[in-house]
Amino acid sequence: MFSATRSSLSVLRTQIGKSTYISTARVISGQRLKYSSISAKSTVARAVRHQPAFGSLQHTHRFHASALANAKVPFLLADIGEGITECEVIQWFVKAGDKVEEFERLCEVQSDKASVEITSRFTGTITSLQYKVGDMAKVGKPLVEIEVGDDAEAASSVIDDATAAAPDAMSASTPRSAPEEGLKGHSNVIQDMNAVAAMMDNAPGKSERVVPPTAEHILTFATPAVRRVAKESNVDIAQIKGSGKGGRVMKEDVVAYLANGRQATATSTSSAAPIKVAAQQIPRGEDKVLPLSMIQKAMFKQMTKSLSIPHFGFADEIILDNATLFRTALNAHIAKSPEKYSFKKVSYMPIFIKALSLALEQYPIMNACVIDGEEASSAKLKYRAAHNIGVAMDTPNGLLVPNIKNVQSLSVLEIAAELTRLQEAGQRNALSMADLKEGTVSLSNVGMIGGTYLNPVVVTSEVAIAAVGKMQRLPRYKMVTDAETGKLVERVVPQQIVNVSWSADHRVIDGATVARFSEAWKSVVENPFLLGGMLR
């Protein structure tokens, strides 16, 4: 009376009142969707082929575009912009069998620019994960398979989107034949669901079922840098108990694990002896060949393009005595009302950034970008109104340059608040794509680590970048009033000095423009009281 093979036509079970009837899978664009890994109970529906048992009560259930129930649909990795085609899966927040709500986190992926958390578009149950931690997920390909339950409208919407986004992937294993209309009438009420489910467990193709990853592999929290350390040491990170916040595995945990040779797993509750993993012994002087990280790959591509641009360099020093007094006054103001601000102190950077924006008002070409620049005959300059000033940051994943949007409309204190947010997000590897996109000019404060004069590289989407060196207290000649004579005399006095190094796109900007622009910026930094007079 019925067939229980895996190649049977997928049939979805729908409840109407107290009766149960069977509906065939709908046809989309002339092709029938095939849903894999149907659970045992829902597979019962596809096996039944009985005549109606309700006398004169007749219902005809034909193919209908929104009549779906318990549909299992692939959730595709969406395009996250910037030309990214693949991302590394660095952790899962769910496992097979978990129920998820709309907007609930599914996983975290690492692109060559930042880490991004992927959230669910709808409510349902996770039936399978398509990638393991460390795998490279392709944009437009399924991340997980989710059963969307009895919400027919949500199921229809999701399947339509999935079909439009990846028709080839959806139809590659789909049979081409389908009945012209659905089964007519209700099926007999199934008395023993468990018996039929047991029959399906023994059906052909059961051995092809995919075993989902264990919770230990899915719910181990660690940054990509820590995962690389564990991988290089031939250590299963799921065996390490994390000491960080929320059980996150830290680099120190991996080192301690290698030193001890054994450690209880983070999620296991059994008393079985832990698996010992021998640390990889690397003799001194042994060469290692490692692949580039995602951030390094992005730098490789970007810097290769950037160094095709002819650079013009310019360097100068700035006296920070007045800026130091201005900063001290701001911090005294903040200390009086700490509840009003998300930061405790203002650094020099917000002052530098605001002064840079005021200089850009005078020299807008420094905020421009070259488009269609392969040939001089087709090249154009785009003058950008927004001052989205990028700040180079040293994060656990490497160098990233988020930008503060629309600095021309922000005060020094507002810039300080946004800079604090970006710095905190960078240390958590939580910078978003929006934070990293659409920068117009950049500052690098590498002087916090060391160095005086530097040689920054202009990126292709900008025409200028500055690198700020370390601050030093140095002797300088200065005209001062002599206490005895009252006359101006030259004296050697200590002053707070910082060096700044500019690089500009010499295809479109000449040296005189860079020098004048730097002087305009320097004058505001050295005399920050001008900020009040120049603001609108």
Side-chain angles (χ1 to χ4, degrees):
M1 295 293 293
F2 57 88
S3 173
T5 64
R6 291 276 174 182
S7 60
S8 305
L9 174 66
S10 297
V11 180
L12 306 176
R13 186 181 61 229
T14 308
Q15 295 290 338
I16 293 185
K18 296 183 179 180
S19 64
T20 303
Y21 72 98
I22 306 304
S23 64
T24 57
R26 64 174 179 160
V27 174
I28 299 180
S29 301
Q31 296 182 0
R32 185 188 50 179
L33 293 179
K34 177 181 177 182
Y35 302 105
S36 60
S37 303
I38 303 293
S39 62
K41 287 190 177 182
S42 62
T43 308
V44 171
R46 103 174 95 169
V48 178
R49 298 290 187 273
H50 291 301
Q51 294 299 319
F54 299 97
S56 61
L57 180 59
Q58 295 288 333
H59 291 274
T60 300
H61 186 70
R62 301 181 182 273
F63 287 87
H64 192 278
S66 62
L68 294 173
N70 294 333
K72 295 183 181 178
V73 297
F75 183 91
L76 308 184
L77 176 59
D79 184 1
I80 57 179
E82 297 293 289
I84 294 170
T85 59
E86 62 180 12
C87 299
E88 179 184 358
V89 178
I90 59 176
Q91 66 173 314
W92 285 100
F93 301 115
V94 296
K95 60 182 182 296
D98 283 356
K99 294 185 180 299
V100 294
E101 301 291 334
E102 189 174 3
F103 306 119
E104 187 174 340
R105 297 185 304 172
L106 297 178
C107 66
E108 182 179 3
V109 298
Q110 174 73 53
S111 71
D112 59 3
K113 294 184 179 292
S115 58
V116 180
E117 289 185 354
I118 305 298
T119 58
S120 178
R121 290 176 50 202
F122 48 92
T123 299
T125 302
I126 303 295
T127 59
S128 66
L129 308 180
Q130 302 301 314
Y131 297 98
K132 297 178 182 178
V133 171
D135 287 351
M136 299 302 296
K138 303 289 185 182
V139 170
K141 300 297 183 182
L143 269 176
V144 297
E145 189 179 65
I146 303 180
E147 183 178 276
V148 297
D150 294 329
D151 188 345
E153 182 177 353
S156 177
S157 173
V158 170
I159 295 175
D160 286 340
D161 292 347
T163 306
D168 294 339
M170 292 291 292
S171 62
S173 61
T174 303
R176 297 299 177 182
S177 61
E180 295 182 357
E181 64 177 72
L183 299 176
K184 296 182 179 181
H186 294 294
S187 68
N188 291 335
V189 177
I190 300 174
Q191 299 294 330
D192 191 352
M193 298 292 288
N194 292 330
V196 182
M199 173 201 70
M200 295 306 300
D201 282 343
N202 295 321
K206 178 188 174 183
S207 60
E208 298 175 1
R209 294 178 181 175
V210 178
V211 179
T214 62
E216 289 82 356
H217 287 84
I218 296 173
L219 301 178
T220 300
F221 294 91
T223 65
V226 174
R227 293 181 183 276
R228 282 197 297 271
V229 172
K231 186 175 182 180
E232 291 168 5
S233 302
N234 196 26
V235 173
D236 182 359
I237 200 168
Q239 301 294 327
I240 302 176
K241 184 175 182 180
S243 61
K245 184 176 180 181
R248 184 179 293 273
V249 177
M250 314 297 289
K251 181 178 179 181
E252 294 79 7
D253 299 328
V254 179
V255 174
Y257 182 89
L258 294 172
N260 296 335
R262 57 186 177 86
Q263 180 178 333
T265 62
T267 56
S268 176
T269 57
S270 68
S271 59
I275 300 174
K276 294 183 179 181
V277 180
Q280 183 181 5
Q281 299 299 323
I282 302 177
R284 288 186 179 182
E286 182 179 347
D287 294 340
K288 289 194 300 183
V289 178
L290 300 174
L292 298 181
S293 68
M294 297 295 290
I295 298 290
Q296 289 171 327
K297 289 179 182 178
M299 289 178 61
F300 188 100
K301 296 175 183 178
Q302 183 63 61
M303 292 300 101
T304 300
K305 293 179 181 178
S306 294
L307 288 178
S308 66
I309 298 172
H311 281 50
F312 175 83
F314 179 86
D316 201 357
E317 69 175 31
I318 299 176
I319 299 172
L320 293 178
D321 291 354
N322 290 334
T324 300
L325 295 175
F326 180 65
R327 175 174 175 258
T328 301
L330 287 177
N331 287 333
H333 168 73
I334 294 168
K336 292 179 181 178
S337 305
E339 70 281 355
K340 294 182 180 179
Y341 303 98
S342 59
F343 51 92
K344 295 181 180 179
K345 290 184 178 180
V346 173
S347 66
Y348 287 97
M349 280 300 287
I351 302 172
F352 293 162
I353 292 169
K354 187 61 185 178
L356 186 62
S357 177
L358 292 173
L360 290 175
E361 296 282 356
Q362 301 178 52
Y363 297 91
I365 192 173
M366 301 295 287
N367 198 53
C369 67
V370 178
I371 56 177
D372 300 328
E374 295 297 328
E375 299 292 339
S377 59
S378 60
K380 301 179 183 66
L381 267 177
K382 180 180 179 180
Y383 288 82
R384 296 177 285 199
H387 297 171
N388 299 340
I389 298 178
V391 181
M393 293 183 179
D394 183 25
T395 73
N397 272 350
L399 176 67
L400 294 174
V401 189
N403 61 82
I404 300 173
K405 301 289 194 294
N406 297 307
V407 173
Q408 75 279 1
S409 303
L410 302 178
S411 68
V412 172
L413 293 177
E414 289 171 330
I415 294 169
E418 180 64 2
L419 182 61
T420 299
R421 182 189 72 80
L422 293 174
Q423 289 170 335
E424 292 175 349
Q427 290 306 307
R428 300 194 313 270
N429 291 323
L431 289 168
S432 68
M433 292 302 300
D435 294 328
L436 298 166
K437 294 195 302 186
E438 300 176 357
T440 59
V441 65
S442 298
L443 277 178
S444 174
N445 191 19
V446 73
M448 294 181 63
I449 301 173
T452 51
Y453 292 102
L454 306 136
N455 188 23
V457 179
V458 180
V459 296
T460 55
S461 60
E462 300 175 5
V463 296
I465 183 174
V468 180
K470 67 180 179 181
M471 298 178 188
Q472 305 173 84
R473 190 166 177 79
L474 299 172
R476 291 292 185 269
Y477 285 102
K478 186 178 180 181
M479 299 300 294
V480 298
T481 303
D482 185 85
E484 296 180 359
T485 64
K487 296 182 179 179
L488 287 176
V489 294
E490 191 176 55
R491 293 282 189 270
V492 176
V493 296
Q495 290 188 304
Q496 194 76 12
I497 303 293
V498 67
N499 300 108
V500 59
S501 303
W502 281 98
S503 289
D505 187 339
H506 209 6
R507 297 175 301 175
V508 294
I509 300 177
D510 56 52
T513 301
V514 177
R516 292 189 184 100
F517 171 74
S518 183
E519 281 296 313
W521 178 49
K522 174 182 175 178
S523 67
V524 180
V525 175
E526 290 188 338
N527 303 283
F529 55 83
L530 293 175
L531 287 171
M534 299 176 77
L535 293 177
R536 292 185 178 87

